[in-house]
Each structure stands twice: as structure tokens, then as C-alpha cells.
């Protein structure tokens, strides 16, 4: 049970929180006066799928809020409060979590939300659903067999059973689990329907198929009954045009989502799938997988919306499908509320702005209840306006919440947390001394310097918020400044001081510079400042502060005393050009000076390359000039790539040949007709060649009649009354137009009229003409040319071929043979005298067989008239026939030869009984092998003497039952003994000899081994 418990737990926590995000924070109120704060959610319920078959009989919906004092909790089901104390209730509260014990589908399915409350107010969580997940079994009805001709496509329907949720994954098995069907260019499983598609069925597809449907949400899989697929043999196998059977529908994706579009086609040859976006290039975040059947779009953005097309094509035809991908968005906060503390009687506006598509609707809650206001504007705040506020943005993709506490307060002015501070000011500069007491309602303000009351003048001004501003500061402004505040609840004051320092001045300003790409440039900067203050130099390029650590490759600060901040710009690049500003800064003031850096380099990329006009062999391009980067453009270079160049860009031939730098149009010539091209343009000046433009949209040149003829025309041979014509197909780049094919012309050498045949397959390599009137081995003239929808091309060179010869008309005679062993024989015959023989076929089979279906065959060249037959069964009668053959077929068979193979050799090995050393030799003796009744008699023995680990050695033959062998000086040797008969060699006995003696025998009988074991046990 523990693993199902873990599964349920994972289901509860795995759902993304993105479907209803929540913003909330603890108010940053003054610690000494704030006694607490309202609830802020730390954990909220999430959508939960409870497996109906789960043995873990409870569901836990989480809810936890941070609050002071701690929050109390209530739960709602479908907007009605749950009575946790009802009799026989399945509900209980653990902390803030709602536990549903022994869930019941009809009772506990619905939308749940949690309310957290304390003295400061109430907030309500996002809604979360509870649903019961299930996956029923497949129907038990027997599936009908599917019969398909080889070469045709097949669709096996999965028909998944009822289930929830909708998301299922599908796989198919063949014959038995776990033999999963591999998915490739020919086979595809739709993850939308579960159906199995086979684009071109062949004999290997025969078998029983079962669909496996799996629900990842409840970790359950079910199998369908087997569907028999029966391929029907068809010769020749026909070809079929591409036919799209899996077509992706109009699809809506959310920003940031990943989506998959499916397309798959039946056809023979197996179609190729190509993807494109009609209104632009495929997004950079795309990936084509599953041999082209899947187009994945990752992290979808609004600009990815559009019409997508999948194209299936093979040599027999094309099929297209287009559908719309729309991109919408989940609600997202642009601006949302946050907790705040506001003065009594002040004005305040809460603002919530959300983006999303469709545009989200916004409504408000106060303390968990709907607050019927379109705008949250407060005029003259009262204490009753305090509470917990929630802003909710919702569209049909989801809902998001923003929570905030508004606290309205009133108090006499106090500077306890923010007294008036000591301030430094630069001579002749400007200074603001802040006065920020905590007070409600807003107090009145007045200031004094030392003992003198300050009033507004052209140089001194008291702001509405109480701050004191002094312009053109002088040494006379040094002193103690006091801010006085008062409201209807009391008064307070705070004193700070003002010190005046020398102002900072630029003494050496940067100068304009002009460099080439790769050179260095220097920008000087020096300043005078008050000696009591530290000075810092800050450099920026076009108002962007330079980070010397991150940009150390190009920037270096040369320190020459504390009052100098010279900048070194290394290896200048085009992107480093612009306005450089030096800021000399002290804690009191700052001063700036700027200069411009010009970087001269190769031109920037031209823009807007487009095809304005086209013919079959040329296109006219137009573009807009890019930045010349301060050096005039001298020329443009045009490059192209096509579908045959494997993404390699090549320089194009243009008219005029040299494209001058003051033009923005040119004609590219010497292109191939009916070929898809992309073009790009690069600009060059005296400093080099710049980056290329973005490629133009793909454009196909116009059609033209073919100019290239097929090559290597030849042929001949084949079966009787046939004329076979072959050629090398024209490469696709030379088709020059649609509906490409071949015209084959042929005639007898002495004939006058050419016969012509059309072959529509552009990949065809041969044509077989069958005619019962064609005489054998007759000389023909043949030629082939290409055609397309625009016309016909030139013929190839003429070739001479011969029609097929007749099959041999005579049967071999005087066929004879003999058995060589129990499994081998030799057969011979008189050669045929006909000159059209390519060879002989020898067929042999056991005479007891009713048919020749199990016959074995041996093919022999025409120059030989004998052959060995192997793989025969011992002591069996065989029938043997011989016939001649050539490219036209087989001749008549010879009369059957009967041949009986010899009995098999003994199946028992010799029993080695003696091993004796005789000086420098060893004597090996064995018992005579007595053959069984159905085995051949023993003629003698063969002894193989070899070094251990080697397969070859010295072979001895003897009629005795012993042998003397030389004793090896070192190493291990093996002695193999076997009986020899006319039926072959029998089973082998082995013994190992090591330098000077015998180690062991491997032919000890089982009885001998048992005796040895018993003897050892007695010991």
C-alpha cells in the first residue's frame, strides 16, 4: 500500500501552481506599534485527482497561512461552507488542512477553497478541484482481423476505454509483452487517438497487435484485445501516393507552454514529412522528431502564432494539411496591490493591472467577501476601511490573486524612527533636508536655522511634504536646522545640521576620438574636489554604466592618482562607438563631461532582401543598404543556397558581374529552373566585408523543359519474351519542372519505326517490355529522354541491347553420384551442349517426403558438371535432379537419381582405459567401440594430438586400440580419439597430457566417477 500512498501524495503536490498564483506579504508596519498582521498564505490547495482504485482512503487539501495572531480556518465546497461538525461527516481539519476520509465520488467532487481569518481580516485561497481519476478496461469484444495488401497503408484503431483525466499515452505491442513496436519513418502511434499507422505494410508486419493505454495521473495501464494484421502478398508491389491520415487540428497554446503537432501519411514509397509556417520561418524554438511526424514548439510565444503546414511527399504524389496555431496567455500581474499603512482621512487608491489573452476580468474581495467596486479609490480614509483586500484577475485559462492588508491609523507626530539627519552639501550646489515624521492626520511643517525662523524665498523653499530645499549653497548656510510639526493629536520637532564642502569640477574633459575596428582609444578625465571627501570616476556609454569586470575584454581604467579616471578602450568594435560620459562623483555632488567615439569598420548587414522578379534561370533582387560604419560601401556580394546545397552558401553570378556600392538591386543569373532558392547580400568597404543580411524568403524559379538526358542507358536479359531497358535516373535538380518522367524508345536494329513508352516515376531505373512476339536474343536499339509539364528534353545516346534468351530446352543426362558419408554426397552429369547455359541447379530431397517443398538446392556455374551435396540426413534415400538455367529461366529437369546416404558413425566415444609412460613417449589405450544396429561399423580410429588452446595438431590413423605419442617437453597437450566409419567420424574422447605425464581423462564413464566418489567418502 505504501507505494500507492506515495503516488497519491505526488499527485497532490505535482500540479503546477501556475494555474492560480497568489501574491501576498507580511506588512512592513512599525514594529513597536504593530501588534500583528493579517493572514498571508504560505500554502494553498491544488487541483487533485484521486484514483478511484486507490487503497489510500483519504484526500488532503493543504492550507496554511502566516498571521499574528494565528489564523483560524474554514473551507468552502462549490462556494458553500463545509460543516466540519456534521454527523457522519467525512471531513476533518488538521491545522488548516482539510482531510476527506473515505471519499465518495458523487459527494466530494467539486471546487474547494480555504478561508484564513484573524482580527485583522480574512483572505480566501484560490479554488482547487477534486476529481476522481479512472481508466476502465478495454471492451472484451474480439477485434476483427485487418487484411492489407503489401505496399498499402494500414490503420489499427485503438478505441481507448472511458477514462479521466483526458491525458493518456499510447504504445502498441506485437504478439506478446513487452515486444513494443518501434516507431520510425514507416510506423507511427498518434498520442491524440492512440491509433497505429503503418505507411507501407510488408510481410514482416504480420502478427497480433495490442494497444496499451496508460494514464500518468493514476499510474494505470490497460491492454486491448489483439488485432490480427494479415499482409496479403501482391507481386509486383504497387506504389501509392502520399495520403495524410493524421492531421493536427486548430490548436490554442498558452505563452510558455510546449505543444506538439502531429502529421503522418500512408504511401509507398514511405512518404517524407516536411513542416513550414505559411507566414514566416518556423520558430527558432522548434524541433522535428519521430521521423518528421512530430513538430514540437517549445516555450511558445505570441509571435509563434500562425498557420502551420505539413507536407507529405513521395515519388507518386504529395498531400498537404494546414491548421492554425493561436497563442493566448494566462493572467499575469503588471501591477498589483501590496500591504500598506495610511493616515486617517487621507486619500488612497488601490491599483491592479493584469495582462493576458483574452484580457482578464478583475474583481475585488474585502475580508473574503465580494467588494462591489470598479475602482478602489478611497476619499478621506476611515478606520472601517482597514482590512484584508484581494484583487483577482481571471480569464478562461485561469485565475491569479493578489493579497494586501490596508491599515488606517492616527497618531501625534513622532521622529522616533526617522529623525532629521546631518547633511553635507557642495558649495554653489543644491541640498534637500528631509523632514519625515510618522503622523496622522498629515501635520503642518515649519523650520528654523539655529534660532532664526525660516520662511520661503527665491533660494530657500519648504516643500509640501516638509522637506527643506536650499539652492546655491554658501558657507553661510552652515548650521543647525530644526523641523517643527503639529497636527490635531500633538506636536514634535527634530534637529539636524548642514555642512558645506568644496564643489567638484572637471579639470580635464574627454575628447572626441576616431579609430578603426581593432584599434585602441583613450578617453581622459580628471577633476578637483573637496579634500575631505572621496572621489569616484564612473564611465558610461550612451547612458549605460560600464561594468569593468564584465567588460574587461574591451575596457580598462588607468589609475593616475585619485583625481584622474582615464579610460582605455581596447580592440575597439563597432558596438563600442557612441557617447562616452565621465562622471566625477563624491558623496556630496557629481559632475559630468562627455565625448564621442567613432569606430570605422566593415559595413553592417543589408536589410530587406526580397525577390522582385524571376524567370526560369534568373531572379532580380532588391535590398536596403545597411550602415556604412563611416567608410563608404564599395561593392555588394550576393550569395545563394538551395535544397541541394546542404545549407552551404555559394557566391552567385550576377548581372552586372560587379555590384557597385551605390546600388540596391541586381539580377542573379545561371540558376536552375524550378528550384527553390534563398538569397543573402553582404557589403564590402575598404575596411573589410560585413555580416550577411538575413536570408530572403524562399523563392522557386520558373519551370523550363528538361535539358539533361538519362545516362548509362543499357539493359538486356530477363525472362523469355522480355526486353529490359535500364538507365541512371536524372538528378532531381535537373527536373526543371513538375510531372517529371521518362520516354523510352526502342526498335529492332533492322526496324524502321521506334516504339515509345512513358514512365511517370522520376526515380524509375528500368522498363520491362513483355511481348510474346519478341524473338529471343534479338538486337535492339534503345534511347531514353526526360519530360516534364513544360516539354520534352533531348534523347540519350543510343544503346544496343538484346532481348531475353529462351530458357534451356534440354535436360542434363547421365546423372550419377555416390554417398560420401552419412551427411554428404557427390553428384555429376554430362554438360549441356547448348550455348545459352548460365549454370546448373541441383535439387535434392528425401524420397519419403510427399512433396519437394523441403528440397535443398545448389547452384553450379556452367563450366562445372559436378558438385557436393551437404546437410543430408543419415541412412536416408534421396531423390536428386539437375536442370540448366539462364536469365530466361530454368530448363527441364533430368531424370531423378536415387541415392542412399550411409549409416551414421557411432554416437558413443571410445573409452580410454590405459595411460602409460614409456621413456619419452606415452601410451594411450582404449576399448573398442561397438556400434549400435543403426550405426556404421568401425573401420579404424583417428587420433588428434594438439597443444591445448590450439584447434589444429597432428592427426594419426590406426586400426589398433592403442597408440604411442611423443611426450611433450613442457606445456599441456590434448589427445582426442574417435572411431572412423564410412558414415564419418564418431563421438570424441579426450585426455590431457602435461610435460612428463597424464593429467586427466574427460571420457570417464558416469559409473567410474561414482566409484571414485564412494571411495573418497569411505576414506
Amino acid at each position: 500500500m505504501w507505494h500507492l500512498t506515495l503516488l497519491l501524495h505526488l499527485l497532490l503536490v505535482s500540479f503546477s501552481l501556475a494555474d492560480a498564483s497568489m501574491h501576498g506579504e507580511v506588512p512592513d508596519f512599525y514594529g513597536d506599534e504593530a501588534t500583528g498582521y493579517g493572514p498571508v498564505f504560505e500554502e494553498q490547495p491544488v487541483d487533485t485527482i484521486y484514483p478511484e482504485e486507490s487503497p489510500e482512503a483519504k484526500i488532503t487539501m493543504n492550507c496554511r497561512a502566516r498571521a499574528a495572531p494565528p489564523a483560524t480556518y474554514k473551507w468552502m465546497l462549490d462556494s458553500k461552507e463545509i460543516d466540519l461538525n456534521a454527523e457522519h461527516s467525512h471531513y476533518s481539519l488538521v491545522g488548516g488542512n482539510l482531510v476527506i476520509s473515505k471519499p465518495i465520488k458523487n459527494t466530494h467532487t467539486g471546487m474547494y477553497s480555504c478561508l484564513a481569518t484573524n482580527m485583522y481580516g480574512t483572505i480566501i485561497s484560490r479554488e482547487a478541484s477534486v476529481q476522481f481519476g479512472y481508466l476502465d478496461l478495454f471492451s472484451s469484444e474480439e477485434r476483427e482481423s485487418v487484411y492489407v495488401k503489401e505496399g498499402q497503408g494500414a490503420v489499427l484503431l485503438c478505441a481507448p476505454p472511458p477514462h479521466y483525466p483526458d491525458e493518456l499515452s499510447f504504445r502498441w505491442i506485437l504478439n506478446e509483452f513487452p515486444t513494443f513496436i518501434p516507431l520510425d519513418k514507416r510506423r507511427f502511434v498518434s498520442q491524440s487517438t492512440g491509433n497505429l499507422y503503418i505507411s507501407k505494410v510488408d510481410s514482416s508486419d504480420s502478427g497480433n497487435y495490442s494497444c496499451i493505454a496508460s494514464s500518468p495521473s493514476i499510474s494505470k495501464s490497460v491492454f486491448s484485445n489483439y488485432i490480427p494484421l494479415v499482409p496479403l502478398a501482391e507481386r509486383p508491389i504497387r506504389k501509392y501516393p502520399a495520403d495524410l491520415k493524421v492531421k493536427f487540428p486548430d490548436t490554442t497554446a498558452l505563452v510558455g507552454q510546449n505543444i506538439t503537432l502531429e502529421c503522418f501519411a500512408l504511401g509507398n514509397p514511405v512518404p517524407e514529412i516536411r513542416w513550414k509556417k505559411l507566414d514566416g520561418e518556423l520558430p527558432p524554438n522548434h524541433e522535428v522528431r519521430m521521423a518528421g511526424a512530430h513538430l514540437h514548439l517549445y516555450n511558445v510565444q505570441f509571435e509563434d502564432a500562425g498557420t502551420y503546414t505539413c507536407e507529405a511527399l513521395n515519388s507518386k504524389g504529395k498531400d498537404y494539411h494546414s491548421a492554425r496555431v493561436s497563442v493566448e496567455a494566462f493572467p499575469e500581474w503588471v501591477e498589483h496591490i501590496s500591504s500598506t499603512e495610511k493616515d486617517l482621512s487621507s486619500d488612497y487608491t488601490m491599483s491592479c493591472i493584469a495582462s493576458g489573452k483574452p484580457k482578464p476580468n478583475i474583481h475585488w474581495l474585502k475580508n473574503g467577501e465580494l467588494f462591489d467596486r470598479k475602482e478602489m479609490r478611497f476619499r478621506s480614509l476611515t478606520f472601517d476601511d482597514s482590512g484584508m483586500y484581494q484583487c483577482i484577475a481571471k480569464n478562461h485559462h485561469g485565475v491569479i490573486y493578489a493579497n494586501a492588508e490596508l491599515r488606517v491609523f492616527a497618531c501625534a507626530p513622532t521622529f522616533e524612527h526617522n529623525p532629521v539627519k546631518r547633511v553635507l552639501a557642495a558649495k554653489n550646489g543644491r541640498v534637500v533636508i528631509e523632514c519625515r515624521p510618522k503622523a496622522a492626520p498629515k501635520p503642518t511643517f515649519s523650520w528654523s536655522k539655529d534660532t532664526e525662523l525660516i520662511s520661503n524665498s527665491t533660494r530657500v523653499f519648504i516643500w509640501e511634504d516638509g522637506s527643506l530645499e536650499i539652492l546655491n549653497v554658501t558657507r553661510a548656510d552652515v548650521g543647525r536646522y530644526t523641523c517643527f510639526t503639529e497636527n490635531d493629536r500633538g506636536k514634535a520637532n527634530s534637529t539636524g545640521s548642514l555642512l558645506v564642502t568644496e564643489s567638484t569640477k572637471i579639470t580635464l574633459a574627454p575628447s572626441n576620438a576616431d579609430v578603426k575596428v581593432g584599434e585602441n582609444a583613450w578617453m581622459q578625465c580628471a577633476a578637483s574636489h573637496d579634500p575631505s571627501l572621496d572621489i569616484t570616476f564612473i564611465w558610461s556609454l550612451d547612458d549605460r554604466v560600464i561594468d569593468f569586470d564584465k567588460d574587461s575584454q574591451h575596457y580598462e581604467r588607468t589609475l593616475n592618482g585619485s583625481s584622474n579616471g582615464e579610460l582605455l578602450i581596447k580592440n575597439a568594435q563597432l558596438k563600442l562607438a557612441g557617447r562616452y560620459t565621465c562622471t566625477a562623483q563624491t558623496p556630496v555632488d557629481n559632475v559630468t563631461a562627455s565625448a564621442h567615439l567613432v569606430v570605422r569598420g566593415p559595413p553592417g548587414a543589408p536589410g530587406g532582401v526580397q525577390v522582385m522578379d524571376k524567370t526560369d534561370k534568373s531572379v532580380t533582387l532588391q535590398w536596403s543598404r545597411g550602415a556604412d560604419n563611416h567608410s563608404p560601401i564599395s561593392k555588394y556580394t550576393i550569395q545563394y543556397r538551395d535544397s541541394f546545397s546542404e545549407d552551404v552558401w555559394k557566391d552567385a553570378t550576377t548581372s552586372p558581374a560587379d555590384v557597385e556600392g551605390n546600388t540596391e538591386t541586381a539580377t542573379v543569373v545561371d540558376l536552375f529552373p524550378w528550384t527553390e532558392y534563398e538569397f543573402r547580400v553582404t557589403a564590402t568597404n575598404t575596411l573589410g566585408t560585413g555580416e550577411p543580411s538575413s536570408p530572403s524568403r524562399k523563392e522557386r524559379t520558373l519551370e523550363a523543359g528538361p535539358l539533361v538526358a538519362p545516362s548509362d542507358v543499357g539493359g538486356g536479359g530477363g525472362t523469355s519474351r522480355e526486353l529490359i531497358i535500364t538507365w541512371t535516373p536524372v538528378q532531381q535538380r535537373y527536373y526543371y519542372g513538375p510531372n517529371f518522367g521518362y520516354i523510352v524508345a526502342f526498335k529492332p536494329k533492322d526496324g524502321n519505326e521506334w516504339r515509345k513508352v512513358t514512365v511517370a516515376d522520376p526515380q524509375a531505373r528500368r522498363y520491362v517490355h513483355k511481348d510474346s512476339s519478341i524473338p529471343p536474343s534479338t538486337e535492339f536499339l534503345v534511347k531514353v529522354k526526360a519530360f516534364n509539364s513544360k516539354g520534352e528534353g533531348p534523347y540519350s545516346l543510343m544503346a544496343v541491347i538484346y532481348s531475353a534468351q529462351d530458357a534451356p530446352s534440354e535436360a542434363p543426362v547421365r546423372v550419377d553420384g555416390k554417398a560420401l558419408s552419412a551427411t554428404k554426397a557427390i553428384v555429376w552429369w554430362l554438360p549441356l551442349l547448348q550455348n545459352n547455359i548460365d549454370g546448373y541447379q541441383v535439387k535434392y530431397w528425401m524420397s519419403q517426403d510427399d512433396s519437394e517443398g523441403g528440397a535443398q538446392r545448389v547452384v553450379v556455374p556452367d563450366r562445372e558438371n559436378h558438385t557436393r551435396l551437404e546437410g543430408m540426413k543419415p541412412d536416408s534415400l534421396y531423390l536428386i535432379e539437375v536442370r540448366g538455367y539462364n536469365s530466361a529461366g530454368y530448363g527441364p529437369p533430368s531424370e531423378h537419381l536415387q541415392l542412399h546416404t550411409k549409416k551414421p558413425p557411432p554416437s558413443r566415444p571410445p573409452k580410454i582405459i590405459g595411460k602409460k609412460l614409456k621413456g619419452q613417449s606415452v601410451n594411450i589405450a582404449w576399448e573398442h567401440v561397438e556400434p549400435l544396429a543403426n550405426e556404421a561399423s568401425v573401420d579404424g580410429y583417428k587420433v588428434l594430438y594438439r597443444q591445448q588452446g590450439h584447434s589444429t595438431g597432428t592427426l594419426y590413423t590406426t586400426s589398433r586400440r592403442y597408440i604411442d605419442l611423443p611426450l611433450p617437453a613442457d606445456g599441456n597437450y590434448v589427445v582426442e580419439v574417435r572411431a572412423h566409419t564410412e558414415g564419418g567420424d564418431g563421438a570424441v574422447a579426450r585426455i590431457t597430457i602435461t610435460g612428463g605425464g597424464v593429467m586427466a581423462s574427460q571420457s570417464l564413464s558416469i559409473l567410474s566417477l561414482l566409484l571414485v566418489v564412494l571411495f573418497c567418502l569411505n576414506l
Side-chain angles (χ1 to χ4, degrees):
M1 180 184 292
W2 67 270
H3 61 281
L4 285 171
T5 305
L6 176 61
L7 167 66
L8 180 60
H9 175 72
L10 291 174
L11 284 170
L12 294 176
V13 301
S14 63
F15 285 88
S16 169
L17 299 184
D19 61 338
S21 61
M22 180 77 75
H23 285 267
E25 58 189 43
V26 177
D28 184 21
F29 299 142
Y30 292 107
D32 288 351
E33 295 188 10
T35 58
Y37 52 87
V40 178
F41 280 120
E42 292 185 323
E43 194 172 9
Q44 297 183 67
V46 296
D47 291 339
T48 300
I49 295 176
Y50 175 76
E52 288 187 0
E53 301 173 10
S54 172
E56 179 67 18
K58 69 175 182 180
I59 300 172
T60 301
M61 305 291 285
N62 293 330
C63 183
R64 179 162 51 88
R66 185 171 67 251
T72 59
Y73 299 91
K74 291 193 300 185
W75 280 85
M76 312 285 285
L77 170 57
D78 295 334
S79 302
K80 295 181 180 179
E81 184 177 349
I82 296 173
D83 184 358
L84 299 172
N85 300 316
E87 188 176 355
H88 306 302
S89 172
H90 292 256
Y91 298 106
S92 59
L93 203 61
V94 179
N97 298 341
L98 179 68
V99 178
I100 309 172
S101 302
K102 298 179 180 178
I104 301 172
K105 183 174 182 178
N106 294 336
T107 303
H108 299 120
T109 299
M111 302 298 294
Y112 288 77
S113 56
C114 165
L115 282 78
T117 303
N118 73 358
M119 61 183 291
Y120 294 103
T122 299
I123 55 174
I124 187 168
S125 73
R126 61 167 167 262
E127 288 189 319
S129 67
V130 169
Q131 300 288 343
F132 286 67
Y134 63 93
L135 175 59
D136 290 349
L137 298 177
F138 276 92
S139 169
S140 59
E141 291 184 11
E142 187 174 334
R143 299 286 189 109
E144 293 184 0
S145 298
V146 177
Y147 297 89
V148 184
K149 291 180 180 179
E150 290 185 21
Q152 285 187 338
V155 181
L156 302 186
L157 302 180
C158 180
H163 58 277
Y164 184 87
D166 290 337
E167 293 77 21
L168 293 181
S169 63
F170 300 94
R171 298 179 78 179
W172 284 73
I173 57 174
L174 176 59
N175 295 327
E176 61 182 1
F177 184 85
T179 308
F180 293 105
I181 294 175
L183 303 181
D184 50 28
K185 193 174 182 180
R186 195 171 66 87
R187 289 168 292 201
F188 175 73
V189 175
S190 169
Q191 294 304 312
S192 299
T193 63
N195 297 340
L196 170 64
Y197 298 83
I198 304 176
S199 63
K200 180 190 75 169
V201 170
D202 60 35
S203 58
S204 66
D205 295 319
S206 176
N208 296 312
Y209 291 75
S210 174
C211 176
I212 304 177
S214 301
S215 173
S217 299
I218 62 173
S219 295
K220 180 180 178 182
S221 298
V222 290
F223 296 68
S224 73
N225 282 343
Y226 280 106
I227 305 171
L229 175 61
V230 184
L232 303 176
E234 184 179 50
R235 296 292 182 271
I237 295 176
R238 293 177 57 190
K239 294 187 177 181
Y240 301 91
D243 180 15
L244 281 168
K245 290 297 184 185
V246 180
K247 302 176 181 180
F248 66 97
D250 286 340
T251 303
T252 298
L254 293 180
V255 169
Q257 267 188 342
N258 303 332
I259 63 169
T260 299
L261 308 181
E262 292 186 339
C263 255
F264 191 75
L266 311 184
N268 181 22
V270 175
E272 179 183 350
I273 307 290
R274 296 177 181 171
W275 292 86
K276 61 175 99 171
K277 188 168 183 273
L278 291 188
D279 40 5
E281 295 293 317
L282 284 173
N285 54 333
H286 85 277
E287 182 182 5
V288 177
R289 295 169 61 184
M290 294 294 291
H294 278 173
L295 174 65
H296 293 278
L297 301 180
Y298 298 100
N299 189 23
V300 171
Q301 302 299 313
F302 285 118
E303 57 266 26
D304 298 334
T307 301
Y308 288 77
T309 295
C310 66
E311 175 188 75
L313 67 160
N314 64 9
S315 58
K316 298 298 291 181
K318 296 181 180 180
D319 197 6
Y320 300 85
H321 170 69
S322 297
R324 181 84 185 163
V325 173
S326 303
V327 180
E328 297 187 351
F330 194 87
E332 184 176 1
W333 290 122
V334 176
E335 180 182 333
H336 63 83
I337 55 176
S338 57
S339 295
T340 189
E341 198 174 40
K342 289 296 178 183
D343 299 351
L344 182 70
S345 301
S346 64
D347 297 340
Y348 179 54
T349 299
M350 289 187 183
S351 178
C352 266
I353 302 174
S355 63
K357 187 176 180 182
K359 183 176 176 61
N361 294 318
I362 292 180
H363 62 274
W364 296 83
L365 300 178
K366 180 183 179 185
N367 292 328
E369 296 183 357
L370 191 64
F371 202 57
D372 191 15
R373 282 197 187 182
K374 291 185 179 179
E375 286 187 327
M376 296 298 287
R377 293 180 180 272
F378 296 92
R379 299 283 186 185
S380 186
L381 283 168
T382 68
F383 291 118
D384 289 340
D385 294 322
S386 296
M388 301 301 300
Y389 289 83
Q390 290 179 281
C391 173
I392 303 173
K394 183 177 183 180
N395 65 14
H396 62 252
H397 296 301
V399 58
I400 53 176
Y401 291 67
N403 303 342
E405 180 180 354
L406 172 62
R407 189 171 298 181
V408 179
F409 77 102
C411 69
T414 174
F415 288 93
E416 181 179 357
H417 298 287
N418 199 11
V420 177
K421 297 176 177 59
R422 175 176 177 268
V423 179
L424 296 177
K427 184 179 178 182
N428 300 321
R430 165 184 174 275
V431 67
V432 174
I433 306 174
E434 292 184 342
C435 181
R436 298 287 176 86
K438 180 181 180 183
K442 181 180 176 181
T444 58
F445 299 93
S446 59
W447 283 85
S448 69
K449 175 179 179 288
D450 297 329
T451 58
E452 182 181 350
L453 194 64
I454 297 175
S455 58
N456 288 342
S457 67
T458 56
R459 199 173 69 86
V460 180
F461 183 75
I462 301 174
W463 291 359
E464 186 179 352
D465 69 356
S467 298
L468 177 67
E469 179 182 29
I470 304 173
L471 304 177
N472 299 320
V473 175
T474 67
R475 294 284 184 186
D477 293 321
V478 174
R480 292 172 58 80
Y481 289 79
T482 301
C483 176
F484 298 91
T485 62
E486 182 178 358
N487 65 11
D488 59 2
R489 296 183 176 247
K491 59 179 68 176
N493 64 76
S494 178
T495 302
S497 61
L498 174 66
L499 298 178
V500 177
T501 64
E502 290 294 327
S503 59
T504 305
K505 298 178 181 177
I506 296 288
T507 57
L508 181 59
S511 302
N512 294 337
D514 190 325
V515 296
K516 296 178 182 178
V517 168
E519 294 180 344
N520 294 344
W522 284 266
M523 292 279 183
Q524 294 180 322
C525 187
S528 62
H529 62 98
D530 191 294
S532 65
L533 302 175
D534 292 331
I535 189 169
T536 302
F537 290 90
I538 300 170
W539 283 93
S540 60
L541 169 58
D542 295 332
D543 299 324
R544 183 183 65 85
V545 175
I546 296 172
D547 184 333
F548 286 91
D549 293 327
K550 184 186 296 184
D551 299 330
S552 60
Q553 180 183 358
H554 292 293
Y555 294 112
E556 183 179 315
R557 191 157 38 192
T558 57
L559 298 175
N560 184 16
S562 62
S563 298
N564 191 303
E566 185 180 46
L567 174 67
L568 169 61
I569 304 167
K570 303 179 290 184
N571 186 22
Q573 301 297 310
L574 295 172
K575 64 181 180 180
L576 304 183
R579 181 171 62 88
Y580 282 81
T581 299
C582 170
T583 300
Q585 180 173 295
T586 68
V588 176
D589 65 344
N590 65 75
V591 62
T592 63
S594 300
H596 283 85
L597 173 66
V598 173
V599 180
R600 302 181 187 273
V609 179
Q610 54 185 322
V611 174
M612 305 304 294
D613 192 19
K614 62 184 178 182
T615 68
D616 58 344
K617 295 182 180 179
S618 67
V619 299
T620 300
L621 297 177
Q622 188 178 64
W623 62 89
S624 58
R625 63 187 292 118
D628 63 9
N629 292 325
H630 310 289
S631 180
I633 297 172
S634 56
K635 69 170 185 176
Y636 289 100
T637 302
I638 298 174
Q639 295 181 313
Y640 72 89
R641 68 179 176 189
D642 56 35
S643 54
F644 309 106
S645 61
E646 298 180 350
D647 290 336
V648 176
W649 289 93
K650 302 176 182 178
D651 287 347
T653 303
T654 59
S655 177
D658 296 321
V659 183
E660 299 294 335
N662 58 358
T663 187
E664 295 179 16
T665 183
T667 299
V668 180
V669 297
D670 297 343
L671 300 176
F672 285 93
W674 203 62
T675 299
E676 201 171 59
Y677 287 95
E678 292 177 280
F679 300 92
R680 70 181 188 184
V681 182
T682 58
T684 302
N685 61 18
T686 56
L687 297 176
T689 299
E691 292 294 315
S693 68
S694 298
S696 68
R697 293 187 64 168
K698 292 181 179 178
E699 290 279 353
R700 189 185 292 275
T701 49
L702 300 182
E703 305 163 16
L707 296 177
V708 177
S711 58
D712 303 324
V713 175
T719 60
S720 182
R721 310 305 181 204
E722 282 187 353
L723 181 67
I724 297 179
I725 303 167
T726 62
W727 63 90
T728 299
V730 174
Q731 295 181 24
Q732 189 176 351
R733 68 161 58 237
Y734 299 108
Y735 287 0
Y736 289 2
N739 303 320
F740 185 86
Y742 302 98
I743 296 174
V744 181
F746 55 94
K747 70 171 185 175
K749 184 177 181 182
D750 299 331
N752 295 322
E753 185 176 345
W754 289 89
R755 183 164 182 173
K756 298 180 181 179
V757 177
T758 298
V759 179
D761 183 359
Q763 300 298 320
R765 296 174 171 271
R766 59 184 301 189
Y767 169 70
V768 179
H769 181 69
K770 296 185 177 183
D771 189 341
S772 59
S773 65
I774 295 179
S777 302
T778 301
E779 190 173 344
F780 276 80
L781 300 178
V782 297
K783 57 186 179 180
V784 185
K785 67 178 176 181
F787 72 90
N788 63 20
S789 58
K790 293 292 286 186
E792 300 176 3
Y795 273 112
S796 65
L797 296 175
M798 201 176 306
V800 177
I801 64 173
Y802 291 85
S803 61
Q805 55 193 342
D806 279 339
S809 58
E810 298 179 9
V813 296
R814 299 183 64 178
V815 177
D816 204 353
K818 68 175 183 178
L820 298 177
S821 69
T823 59
K824 297 178 183 177
I826 186 168
V827 179
W828 58 88
W829 60 90
L830 281 181
L832 291 171
L833 299 178
Q834 293 176 271
N835 59 4
N836 65 339
I837 302 297
D838 291 343
Y840 300 91
Q841 183 199 68
V842 181
K843 185 165 68 172
Y844 55 102
W845 66 98
M846 292 176 63
S847 64
Q848 65 190 37
D849 293 344
D850 294 333
S851 67
E852 302 175 23
Q856 296 172 269
R857 293 169 174 81
V858 177
V859 176
V860 181
D862 65 322
R863 62 182 178 275
E864 296 182 7
N865 68 329
H866 60 86
T867 186
R868 290 170 67 96
L869 308 181
E870 299 180 345
M872 307 174 84
K873 292 186 177 180
D875 197 17
S876 299
L877 180 63
Y878 274 82
L879 298 180
I880 302 169
E881 71 174 26
V882 184
R883 62 173 74 194
Y885 75 88
N886 59 22
S887 61
Y890 292 97
S894 67
E895 292 184 359
H896 289 175
L897 168 69
Q898 291 191 352
L899 188 148
H900 200 289
T901 54
K902 299 184 181 297
K903 289 183 178 182
S907 57
R908 292 176 295 177
K911 180 181 178 183
I912 298 176
I913 57 175
K915 308 167 281 289
K916 296 179 182 178
L917 295 176
K918 290 184 178 181
Q920 294 302 312
S921 64
V922 60
N923 178 269
I924 307 296
W926 56 88
E927 288 184 352
H928 174 65
V929 176
E930 195 64 44
L932 302 176
N934 64 340
E935 295 177 344
S937 58
V938 176
D939 295 334
Y941 296 92
K942 289 183 178 179
V943 180
L944 178 64
Y945 188 43
R946 60 179 176 84
Q947 189 173 359
Q948 195 170 43
H950 292 241
S951 59
T952 58
T954 304
L955 182 65
Y956 301 90
T957 304
T958 179
S959 58
R960 300 187 182 95
R961 299 176 191 172
Y962 64 88
I963 192 170
D964 292 330
L965 299 171
L967 189 66
D970 54 12
N972 294 333
Y973 278 73
V974 176
V975 180
E976 296 181 353
V977 183
R978 69 191 80 203
H980 174 63
T981 72
E982 67 172 3
D985 297 333
V988 64
R990 293 184 181 86
I991 187 170
T992 303
I993 297 174
T994 186
V998 178
M999 283 185 63
S1001 170
Q1002 295 182 14
S1003 64
L1004 287 173
S1005 68
I1006 295 176
L1007 181 59
S1008 301
L1009 291 172
L1010 287 172
L1011 289 172
V1012 172
V1013 172
L1014 290 172
F1015 176 72
C1016 293
L1017 289 173
N1018 288 334
L1019 288 178

